[in-house]
Amino acid sequence: MGKPQIYDVVQLSLLNRKDPSLKIQTSAVVIEDITVGEIEVPSERVRNMAFEKGIELADEGNSEEVNVLIGSDFLWEVLKDTNVRLSRLLVATDSIFGFVVQGSERESNCGEVHVNLLRVIN
């Protein structure tokens, strides 16, 4: 177990870039690196699949940098009820930000799994 560290906690307003009235208020822990995992921006192929189904994705896909990582404890505040299958491995889920893509474009043969835990103590 790592040694305890102190982090800043900030208040955030996460809003839809096209409709600022769609927003969520939350607290967030400020850390240097959100993830070192490779998180891919949806490819042009995936964007076209979404477009063909009339889906506007939440992210324009012009940056591979992760600015906010939403945990499972808060995810359901952001996601809506609509899911659209784009392929066998991909699903687009509506959120307050627009549709977000979940899954993978290709089969994974993952030999390693990395898990990190940040425990917040008040």
Side-chain angles (χ1 to χ4, degrees), residues 38-43 45-46 49 87-90 102-110:
E38 292 183 24
I39 298 176
E40 296 178 14
V41 173
S43 69
R45 180 177 159 271
V46 172
M49 291 166 64
S87 72
R88 186 174 69 79
L89 299 173
L90 289 171
Q102 301 171 69
S104 177
E105 282 189 73
R106 59 191 172 281
E107 297 285 342
S108 175
N109 188 7
C110 183

Side-chain angles (χ1 to χ4, degrees), residues 14-17 22 57-59 70 78 95-100:
L14 303 175
L15 19 117
N16 181 304
R17 60 189 161 93
L22 295 173
L57 298 180
D59 194 331
I70 299 173
V78 174
S95 76
I96 65 165
F97 309 116
F99 279 85
V100 294

Side-chain angles (χ1 to χ4, degrees), residues 12-25:
L12 291 179
S13 291
L14 303 175
L15 19 117
N16 181 304
R17 60 189 161 93
K18 293 188 176 182
D19 183 357
S21 70
L22 295 173
K23 63 183 176 182
I24 294 280
Q25 305 278 18

Side-chain angles (χ1 to χ4, degrees), residues 44-103:
E44 191 66 32
R45 180 177 159 271
V46 172
R47 294 184 169 293
N48 287 336
M49 291 166 64
F51 179 77
E52 288 171 6
K53 297 206 180 231
I55 294 171
E56 184 174 354
L57 298 180
D59 194 331
E60 294 173 348
N62 52 11
S63 172
E64 292 191 12
E65 183 175 318
V66 177
N67 294 309
V68 176
L69 187 61
I70 299 173
S72 61
D73 58 334
F74 191 68
L75 183 62
W76 302 110
E77 297 284 330
V78 174
L79 294 182
K80 295 182 177 180
D81 295 332
T82 304
N83 294 302
V84 178
R85 184 163 297 282
L86 300 177
S87 72
R88 186 174 69 79
L89 299 173
L90 289 171
V91 173
T93 301
D94 199 8
S95 76
I96 65 165
F97 309 116
F99 279 85
V100 294
V101 177
Q102 301 171 69

